[in-house]
Amino acid sequence: MGKSDTATPRERYRAQVRTEIKEHAWQQIATAGTSALSLNAIAKQMGVSGPALYRYFAGRDELITELIRDAYRSLADTLGAAAAEGADLSGLAHVLRGWALADPHRYFLLYGTPVPGYHAPDDTTAISSEIMATLLTACAALTQGVQGAQDAPFADHLEKHRAWAGDHPAPPAALHLAMSFWTRMHGVLSLELAGHFTGMGFDPDRLFAAELDALLA
């Protein structure tokens, strides 16, 4: 029996209102950016008083945190499901791109410019660590038996500075590949989603594929 099956009518109503608030928040973010997010503006859209909404979210930062949790959870589950179905690192890259293109505002909330004055709590970092763990596992499988990359100076540096990898036992070559994957794929995605390729006359999908091929080579 799921949690929703045992929830009281009051709890279900509260969950529905919180969901509606988050939907309005995403609309605001799409229109004016995260920095302009306002609970009072959402209350006006919903036809209720500002104080009424504060019964569901204590303030703007709590609402942003909830949106970030939802976004990280969505990406972690999407990549995790793909990996469980056998997707390798190349497959995960395309899953990541598909997820980003499906909702650029959600992507930029996680990987765009930090919101001024906002600091994410530790539990959001824990969810993001699941994403990195999925990638590290794929990188470890791809680099198994590879010696050359393990001797690279940066790989050696990462082996000594691996807090970002959590407790994942990935060897140096996998750490190096994962970091390169993360920076290069997000670099291309961020430029594409921000519209910097518009008018340049090439297919961003082909650029993404070419960068991925070069990385895996």
Side-chain angles (χ1 to χ4, degrees):
M1 181 178 292
K3 182 177 180 180
S4 60
D5 297 326
T6 60
T8 67
R10 183 188 182 100
E11 290 171 335
R12 286 195 295 270
Y13 176 75
R14 179 178 177 80
Q16 290 170 359
V17 174
R18 283 173 61 90
T19 297
E20 185 177 355
I21 292 171
K22 287 190 286 185
E23 289 171 352
H24 283 286
W26 283 120
Q27 292 170 9
Q28 275 194 13
I29 290 172
T31 302
T34 308
S35 297
L37 193 62
S38 166
L39 278 176
N40 287 329
I42 293 174
K44 185 176 181 181
Q45 292 175 329
M46 294 177 63
V48 299
S49 67
L53 245 62
Y54 284 90
R55 293 200 298 267
Y56 299 94
F57 290 98
R60 184 205 68 156
D61 285 5
E62 184 179 324
L63 176 55
I64 292 175
T65 295
E66 188 71 9
L67 297 177
I68 289 174
R69 283 196 191 104
D70 288 351
Y72 270 134
R73 184 76 270 151
S74 172
L75 180 55
D77 289 348
T78 299
L79 291 175
E85 293 175 0
D88 59 7
L89 189 61
S90 178
L92 292 178
H94 290 289
V95 169
L96 170 64
R97 183 169 185 267
W99 183 90
L101 291 176
D103 193 337
H105 301 293
R106 178 179 57 179
Y107 174 86
F108 279 123
L109 181 63
L110 299 184
Y111 302 113
T113 303
V115 180
Y118 172 78
H119 300 284
D122 291 342
D123 68 314
T124 59
T125 303
I127 303 173
S128 69
S129 295
E130 293 182 35
I131 298 169
M132 186 57 73
T134 298
L135 295 178
L136 282 167
T137 297
C139 289
L142 194 62
T143 58
Q144 187 174 10
V146 174
Q147 297 299 323
Q150 294 184 21
D151 298 328
F154 186 60
D156 182 62
H157 172 79
L158 288 178
E159 174 65 10
K160 297 179 177 66
H161 300 82
R162 55 186 298 152
W164 58 276
D167 59 359
H168 197 287
L175 294 174
H176 193 177
L177 179 59
M179 183 61 73
S180 298
F181 175 96
W182 203 235
T183 53
R184 289 176 69 168
M185 297 300 96
H186 279 299
V188 175
L189 279 173
S190 295
L191 287 170
E192 178 183 3
L193 294 176
H196 293 294
F197 298 152
T198 302
M200 294 183 70
F202 67 87
D203 183 354
D205 182 54
R206 288 177 177 266
L207 173 62
F208 186 86
E211 285 295 298
L212 180 60
D213 287 344
L215 175 66
L216 298 181

